[in-house]
Amino acid sequence: MVESGAPVAVVAGASGFIGRAVTDALAADGYELRTVGRSAEARWGDAGAVRRAVDGADVVVNLAGKSVDCRYTDRDRRAILDSRVGTTTVLREAIAGAAHPPRVWLNASTATIYRHAMDRPNTETAGEIGSGFSVDVARSWERALFSGTLTATRRVALRMAIVLGDGPATGMLFALARSGLGGAQHDGWCRPHRRYRGIGDDPTGPDLATWHRTRGRQRFSWVHIDDVVAAIRLIRDDDRLSGPINIASPHPSDNATLMRTLRELVGAPVGMPTTRWMLELGMWALRTEPELVLKSRWVLPEILSEAGFEFAYPHLEAALVAVRGSRAARRPVTA
């Protein structure tokens, strides 16, 4: 590889929604970029190429992983797990074998690692880890990141809440608001299924999906894509920050408020409240999972707040207005 004299940043998963924003930011900051992926400069199946990519780098950012905006079939469940644990393991081994390992490694994780919470928020120091499929994926992901000894490399797990921007989660939410399913979404009884059962080496939770009586008041933790990028910059540059860090707005909302705001933005005059069994049918048609809107995610960014991080979009409505504007700018408007 030809060296430019600029600091080197390695990004895995650079072609995804978050990856594109992060690579643009790193390039703007003056980094020479190297990418790792299925069709990147260094490919996942070539351990030597991945090791050469990270050798001499200043920062590694791993955002690779199959989207969870899908149905949790057995095949997709396995792909969601393997795409996270496998890529993280490859990077850890490459960094361990590098002659000049990176100063810092930031690896994607998820705020879904915490339990369904409607009584109090989860922080890094007082959060409670949940159980079941999505939590097991997150636990395995972070285990792969923090395993072993990397004395020269600071490691950070980016526990991101739902990221608002021109990505799949936001698209799904806007689609629900436009489809007539934009009312508050109520968890409740549904026909038992096994899609949310645990996975991995030590699966947790019950075999059949459970439910909670939320009445549309399940918490909705979120973060705007611009704040994800800004938080990554802060963590990259502050050597005091390591371990799991929550990337979430300090002002989480709830489901009813979220859906009302979305309806106002898309001009949907009404939104029919939906129960779990109705969502099972609607989400089946959209090829995604009710868990994405029914789990109560209540997460606060304790470490970022203590580090003095200032969110550009701390409040939901302003964030969604900005997202709507950016999405409209990228797509032609049709009648």
Side-chain angles (χ1 to χ4, degrees):
M1 296 181 182
V2 178
E3 299 295 338
S4 65
V8 173
V10 177
V11 181
S15 62
F17 155 56
I18 301 173
R20 294 192 301 271
V22 170
T23 52
D24 287 348
L26 290 169
D29 291 344
Y31 282 85
E32 173 193 336
L33 293 176
R34 301 174 186 168
T35 56
V36 181
R38 287 174 297 179
S39 57
E41 305 163 51
R43 302 193 178 192
W44 290 119
D46 188 339
V50 177
R51 185 176 63 254
R52 289 190 294 273
V54 304
D55 201 347
D58 179 65
V59 56
V60 172
V61 183
N62 180 25
L63 301 165
K66 174 180 169 54
S67 172
V68 296
D69 185 22
C70 63
R71 295 294 286 179
Y72 292 171
T73 63
D74 286 352
R75 179 177 179 179
D76 281 341
R77 280 164 45 90
R78 178 52 58 179
I80 288 169
L81 176 67
D82 291 348
S83 64
R84 286 159 174 75
V85 174
T87 55
T88 302
T89 300
V90 168
L91 281 173
R92 189 189 70 241
E93 293 172 350
I95 292 171
H100 304 284
R103 175 180 58 86
V104 57
W105 172 17
L106 294 84
N107 206 80
S109 182
T110 173
T112 300
I113 196 170
Y114 298 112
R115 67 178 177 91
H116 177 102
M118 296 185 67
D119 55 343
R120 62 180 180 83
N122 287 291
T123 64
E124 294 92 339
T125 57
E128 296 180 41
I129 305 302
S131 63
F133 170 67
S134 296
V135 172
D136 286 349
V137 169
R139 290 170 58 244
S140 298
W141 203 359
E142 293 192 4
R143 189 181 304 120
L145 167 63
F146 292 118
S147 293
T149 301
L150 298 177
T151 57
T153 302
R154 175 167 54 96
R155 288 178 277 185
V156 178
L158 305 170
R159 288 182 176 173
M160 288 180 278
I162 293 176
V163 180
L164 301 181
D166 196 18
T170 311
M172 182 269 291
L173 291 171
F174 274 98
L176 283 174
R178 292 190 183 98
S179 69
L181 297 176
Q185 290 138 2
H186 298 237
D187 199 359
W189 182 89
C190 70
R191 183 177 179 180
H193 63 78
R194 301 179 65 243
R195 299 194 306 275
Y196 302 161
R197 68 192 185 278
I199 196 171
D201 294 337
D202 55 342
T204 64
D207 191 56
L208 297 178
T210 58
W211 57 274
H212 304 82
R213 195 173 298 282
T214 63
R215 303 185 188 279
R217 294 299 176 185
Q218 62 269 29
R219 305 296 290 190
F220 176 72
S221 283
W222 57 276
V223 62
H224 190 280
I225 182 62
D226 289 358
D227 285 322
V228 172
V229 171
I232 285 175
R233 280 172 160 152
L234 173 72
I235 296 166
R236 175 196 67 193
D237 297 337
D238 191 334
D239 291 337
R240 299 171 301 171
L241 303 180
S242 63
I245 297 181
N246 294 342
I247 313 293
S249 162
H251 300 292
S253 183
D254 63 23
N255 177 264
T257 302
L258 166 69
M259 300 313 298
R260 182 176 66 249
T261 305
L262 286 168
R263 291 197 308 273
E264 292 171 354
L265 291 178
V266 303
V270 296
M272 181 175 62
T274 49
T275 58
R276 180 64 175 263
W277 71 267
M278 297 165 68
L279 279 170
E280 288 286 346
L281 295 175
M283 294 298 209
W284 175 84
L286 292 172
R287 306 311 300 161
T288 189
E289 284 291 340
E291 181 190 52
L292 299 177
V293 294
L294 291 179
K295 180 172 180 178
S296 188
R297 297 171 173 85
W298 194 353
V299 181
L300 292 180
E302 178 184 39
I303 289 177
L304 284 181
S305 296
E306 290 177 351
F309 183 75
E310 294 186 9
F311 285 82
Y313 295 98
H315 299 288
L316 179 63
E317 183 174 4
L320 287 173
V321 168
V323 167
R324 181 190 59 176
S326 65
R327 291 172 68 85
R330 290 182 176 91
R331 295 176 174 82
V333 178
T334 57

Coordinates of all heavy atoms in Angstrom, one line a residue, residues 17-19 22 61-64 106-114 124 138 141-142 157-164 221-225 227-229 231-232 235 244-249 297 299 304:
F17 N -25.2 2.4 5.6 CA -25.7 3.7 5.9 C -24.8 4.4 6.9 O -24.4 5.6 6.6 CB -27.1 3.5 6.5 CG -27.6 4.6 7.4 CD1 -27.7 5.9 7.0 CD2 -28.1 4.2 8.6 CE1 -28.2 6.9 7.8 CE2 -28.6 5.2 9.5 CZ -28.6 6.5 9.1
I18 N -24.5 3.8 8.0 CA -23.6 4.5 8.9 C -22.2 4.5 8.4 O -21.4 5.5 8.6 CB -23.6 3.8 10.3 CG1 -25.1 3.7 10.8 CG2 -22.7 4.4 11.3 CD1 -25.3 2.9 12.1
G19 N -21.7 3.5 7.7 CA -20.4 3.4 7.2 C -20.1 4.5 6.2 O -19.0 5.1 6.2
V22 N -19.5 7.7 8.2 CA -18.2 7.7 9.0 C -17.0 7.8 8.0 O -16.1 8.6 8.3 CB -18.1 6.4 9.8 CG1 -16.7 6.2 10.4 CG2 -19.2 6.4 10.9
V61 N -12.5 1.2 12.6 CA -13.9 1.3 12.9 C -14.6 0.2 12.2 O -14.5 0.1 11.0 CB -14.5 2.7 12.4 CG1 -16.0 2.8 12.8 CG2 -13.7 3.9 13.0
N62 N -15.2 -0.7 13.0 CA -15.9 -1.8 12.4 C -17.4 -1.6 12.5 O -18.0 -1.6 13.6 CB -15.5 -3.1 13.1 CG -16.3 -4.3 12.5 OD1 -16.7 -4.3 11.4 ND2 -16.4 -5.4 13.3
L63 N -18.1 -1.5 11.4 CA -19.6 -1.3 11.3 C -20.2 -2.5 10.5 O -21.4 -2.3 10.1 CB -19.9 0.0 10.7 CG -19.3 1.2 11.4 CD1 -19.3 2.5 10.5 CD2 -20.0 1.5 12.7
A64 N -19.5 -3.5 10.3 CA -20.0 -4.6 9.5 C -21.0 -5.4 10.2 O -21.0 -5.6 11.4 CB -18.8 -5.5 9.1
L106 N -12.8 1.0 17.3 CA -14.2 1.3 17.7 C -15.1 0.3 16.9 O -15.0 0.2 15.7 CB -14.6 2.7 17.3 CG -14.0 3.9 18.1 CD1 -12.6 4.2 17.5 CD2 -14.8 5.1 18.0
N107 N -15.8 -0.5 17.7 CA -16.6 -1.6 17.1 C -18.1 -1.4 17.3 O -18.5 -1.1 18.5 CB -16.2 -2.9 17.7 CG -16.4 -4.1 16.7 OD1 -15.6 -4.4 15.8 ND2 -17.5 -4.8 16.9
A108 N -18.9 -1.5 16.3 CA -20.3 -1.3 16.5 C -20.8 -2.4 17.5 O -20.4 -3.5 17.6 CB -21.0 -1.5 15.1
S109 N -21.8 -1.9 18.2 CA -22.6 -2.8 19.1 C -24.1 -2.2 19.0 O -24.4 -1.5 18.1 CB -22.1 -2.9 20.5 OG -22.8 -3.8 21.3
T110 N -24.9 -2.6 20.0 CA -26.3 -2.1 20.0 C -26.8 -1.9 21.4 O -26.5 -2.6 22.3 CB -27.2 -3.1 19.2 OG1 -28.5 -2.7 19.4 CG2 -27.0 -4.5 19.8
A111 N -27.6 -0.8 21.5 CA -28.3 -0.6 22.8 C -29.3 -1.6 23.1 O -29.9 -1.6 24.2 CB -28.9 0.8 22.8
T112 N -29.7 -2.4 22.1 CA -30.6 -3.5 22.3 C -30.1 -4.6 23.3 O -30.8 -5.5 23.7 CB -31.0 -4.1 21.0 OG1 -31.6 -3.1 20.2 CG2 -32.0 -5.3 21.1
I113 N -28.8 -4.5 23.7 CA -28.3 -5.4 24.6 C -28.9 -5.3 26.0 O -29.0 -6.3 26.8 CB -26.7 -5.2 24.8 CG1 -26.1 -6.4 25.5 CG2 -26.4 -3.9 25.5 CD1 -24.5 -6.3 25.4
Y114 N -29.5 -4.1 26.3 CA -30.2 -4.0 27.6 C -31.6 -4.6 27.6 O -32.2 -4.8 26.5 CB -30.3 -2.5 27.9 CG -29.0 -1.8 28.0 CD1 -28.6 -0.8 27.1 CD2 -28.1 -2.1 29.1 CE1 -27.3 -0.2 27.2 CE2 -26.9 -1.5 29.2 CZ -26.5 -0.5 28.3 OH -25.3 0.1 28.4
E124 N -24.4 2.9 31.2 CA -23.3 2.0 31.1 C -23.0 1.4 32.5 O -22.6 0.2 32.6 CB -22.1 2.7 30.6 CG -22.2 3.1 29.1 CD -22.7 4.5 28.9 OE1 -23.3 5.0 29.9 OE2 -22.4 5.1 27.9
A138 N -25.8 -9.3 20.6 CA -25.0 -8.2 21.2 C -23.9 -8.7 22.1 O -22.8 -8.3 22.1 CB -25.9 -7.2 21.8
W141 N -21.2 -10.5 20.2 CA -20.5 -9.4 19.5 C -19.4 -8.7 20.3 O -18.3 -8.6 20.0 CB -21.5 -8.4 19.0 CG -21.2 -7.6 17.8 CD1 -20.1 -7.6 17.0 CD2 -22.1 -6.6 17.2 NE1 -20.2 -6.6 16.0 CE2 -21.4 -6.0 16.1 CE3 -23.4 -6.2 17.5 CZ2 -22.0 -5.1 15.3 CZ3 -24.0 -5.2 16.7 CH2 -23.3 -4.7 15.7
E142 N -19.9 -8.3 21.5 CA -19.0 -7.6 22.4 C -17.9 -8.6 23.0 O -16.8 -8.2 23.2 CB -19.7 -6.9 23.5 CG -20.6 -5.7 23.0 CD -21.1 -4.9 24.1 OE1 -20.8 -5.1 25.3 OE2 -21.9 -3.9 23.8
A157 N -16.9 -0.4 22.5 CA -18.1 -1.0 21.9 C -19.1 0.2 21.8 O -19.5 0.7 22.8 CB -18.7 -2.1 22.7
L158 N -19.5 0.5 20.6 CA -20.5 1.6 20.3 C -21.9 1.0 20.4 O -22.4 0.5 19.5 CB -20.2 2.2 18.9 CG -18.8 2.6 18.6 CD1 -18.7 3.0 17.1 CD2 -18.5 3.8 19.5
R159 N -22.5 1.2 21.6 CA -23.8 0.7 21.8 C -24.8 1.7 21.3 O -25.4 2.5 22.0 CB -24.1 0.4 23.3 CG -23.3 -0.8 23.8 CD -23.6 -1.1 25.3 NE -23.0 -2.3 25.8 CZ -23.0 -2.8 27.0 NH1 -23.5 -2.0 28.0 NH2 -22.3 -3.9 27.3
M160 N -25.1 1.6 20.0 CA -25.9 2.6 19.3 C -27.4 2.2 19.5 O -27.8 1.1 19.3 CB -25.6 2.6 17.8 CG -24.2 3.3 17.6 SD -23.8 3.4 15.8 CE -23.1 1.7 15.6
A161 N -28.2 3.3 19.8 CA -29.6 3.2 19.7 C -30.1 3.2 18.3 O -29.2 3.2 17.4 CB -30.3 4.3 20.5
I162 N -31.4 3.2 18.0 CA -31.8 3.2 16.6 C -31.4 4.5 16.0 O -31.6 5.6 16.5 CB -33.4 3.1 16.6 CG1 -33.8 1.7 17.0 CG2 -33.9 3.4 15.2 CD1 -35.3 1.4 17.1
V163 N -30.7 4.4 14.8 CA -30.1 5.5 14.2 C -31.0 6.1 13.2 O -31.5 5.5 12.3 CB -28.7 5.2 13.5 CG1 -28.1 6.4 12.9 CG2 -27.8 4.6 14.6
L164 N -31.3 7.4 13.4 CA -32.2 8.1 12.5 C -31.4 8.8 11.3 O -30.5 9.5 11.6 CB -33.0 9.2 13.2 CG -33.9 8.7 14.4 CD1 -34.7 9.8 15.0 CD2 -34.9 7.6 13.9
S221 N -35.5 4.8 22.4 CA -34.2 5.4 22.4 C -33.6 5.5 21.0 O -33.7 4.5 20.2 CB -33.2 4.7 23.3 OG -33.5 5.0 24.6
W222 N -33.1 6.6 20.6 CA -32.7 6.9 19.2 C -31.5 7.8 19.2 O -31.1 8.4 20.2 CB -33.9 7.6 18.5 CG -34.3 8.9 19.2 CD1 -35.1 9.0 20.3 CD2 -33.8 10.2 18.9 NE1 -35.2 10.3 20.7 CE2 -34.4 11.1 19.9 CE3 -32.9 10.7 18.0 CZ2 -34.1 12.4 19.9 CZ3 -32.6 12.1 18.0 CH2 -33.2 12.9 18.9
V223 N -30.9 8.0 18.0 CA -29.8 9.0 17.9 C -29.8 9.4 16.4 O -30.0 8.6 15.5 CB -28.5 8.4 18.4 CG1 -28.0 7.2 17.5 CG2 -27.4 9.4 18.3
H224 N -29.5 10.6 16.1 CA -29.4 11.1 14.8 C -28.0 10.7 14.2 O -27.0 10.7 14.9 CB -29.5 12.6 14.7 CG -29.7 13.2 13.3 ND1 -28.6 13.4 12.5 CD2 -30.8 13.6 12.6 CE1 -29.0 13.9 11.4 NE2 -30.3 14.0 11.4
I225 N -27.9 10.4 12.9 CA -26.7 10.0 12.3 C -25.6 11.0 12.5 O -24.4 10.6 12.7 CB -26.9 9.7 10.8 CG1 -25.6 9.2 10.2 CG2 -27.4 10.9 10.1 CD1 -25.1 7.9 10.7
D227 N -25.0 12.8 15.0 CA -24.5 12.7 16.4 C -23.7 11.4 16.5 O -22.8 11.3 17.4 CB -25.6 12.8 17.4 CG -26.1 14.2 17.6 OD1 -25.3 15.1 17.6 OD2 -27.4 14.4 17.7
V228 N -24.0 10.4 15.8 CA -23.2 9.2 15.8 C -21.8 9.5 15.3 O -20.8 9.1 15.9 CB -23.8 8.1 14.9 CG1 -22.9 6.9 14.7 CG2 -25.2 7.6 15.4
V229 N -21.7 10.2 14.2 CA -20.4 10.6 13.6 C -19.6 11.5 14.6 O -18.4 11.3 14.8 CB -20.6 11.3 12.3 CG1 -19.3 11.9 11.8 CG2 -21.2 10.4 11.2
A231 N -20.0 11.6 17.9 CA -19.6 10.8 19.0 C -18.4 10.0 18.7 O -17.4 9.8 19.5 CB -20.7 9.9 19.5
I232 N -18.3 9.4 17.5 CA -17.2 8.6 17.1 C -15.9 9.5 17.0 O -14.8 9.0 17.5 CB -17.5 7.9 15.7 CG1 -18.4 6.8 15.9 CG2 -16.2 7.5 15.0 CD1 -18.9 6.1 14.6
I235 N -14.8 10.0 20.7 CA -14.3 8.8 21.3 C -12.9 8.5 20.7 O -12.0 8.1 21.4 CB -15.3 7.6 21.2 CG1 -16.6 7.9 21.9 CG2 -14.6 6.3 21.6 CD1 -17.7 7.0 21.5
P244 N -17.7 -0.4 26.8 CA -19.0 -0.1 26.2 C -19.4 1.4 26.4 O -19.3 1.9 27.5 CB -20.0 -1.0 26.9 CG -19.1 -2.1 27.5 CD -17.8 -1.4 27.9
I245 N -19.9 2.0 25.3 CA -20.4 3.4 25.4 C -21.7 3.5 24.7 O -21.8 3.2 23.5 CB -19.4 4.4 24.8 CG1 -18.0 4.4 25.6 CG2 -19.9 5.8 24.8 CD1 -17.0 5.3 25.1
N246 N -22.7 4.0 25.4 CA -24.0 4.2 24.8 C -24.0 5.4 23.9 O -23.6 6.5 24.3 CB -25.1 4.5 25.9 CG -25.3 3.3 26.8 OD1 -24.9 2.1 26.4 ND2 -25.9 3.5 27.9
I247 N -24.5 5.2 22.7 CA -24.7 6.3 21.7 C -26.1 6.5 21.5 O -26.8 5.8 20.6 CB -24.0 5.9 20.3 CG1 -22.6 5.4 20.6 CG2 -23.9 7.1 19.4 CD1 -21.6 6.3 21.1
A248 N -26.7 7.4 22.2 CA -28.2 7.6 22.2 C -28.5 9.0 22.7 O -27.7 9.6 23.5 CB -28.9 6.6 23.2
S249 N -29.6 9.6 22.2 CA -30.0 10.9 22.6 C -30.2 10.9 24.1 O -30.7 10.0 24.7 CB -31.2 11.3 21.9 OG -31.9 12.4 22.5
R297 N -36.9 0.3 24.6 CA -35.4 0.6 24.7 C -35.3 1.9 25.4 O -35.6 3.0 24.9 CB -34.8 0.7 23.3 CG -34.8 -0.7 22.6 CD -34.4 -0.4 21.1 NE -34.3 -1.7 20.4 CZ -35.3 -2.3 19.8 NH1 -36.5 -1.8 19.8 NH2 -35.1 -3.4 19.1
V299 N -32.5 4.0 27.1 CA -31.0 4.1 27.2 C -30.6 5.5 27.3 O -31.1 6.4 26.6 CB -30.3 3.4 26.0 CG1 -28.8 3.5 26.2 CG2 -30.8 2.0 25.8
L304 N -20.9 9.6 27.5 CA -20.8 10.8 26.6 C -21.1 12.1 27.3 O -20.4 13.1 27.1 CB -21.7 10.6 25.4 CG -21.3 9.6 24.3 CD1 -22.3 9.6 23.2 CD2 -19.9 10.0 23.7

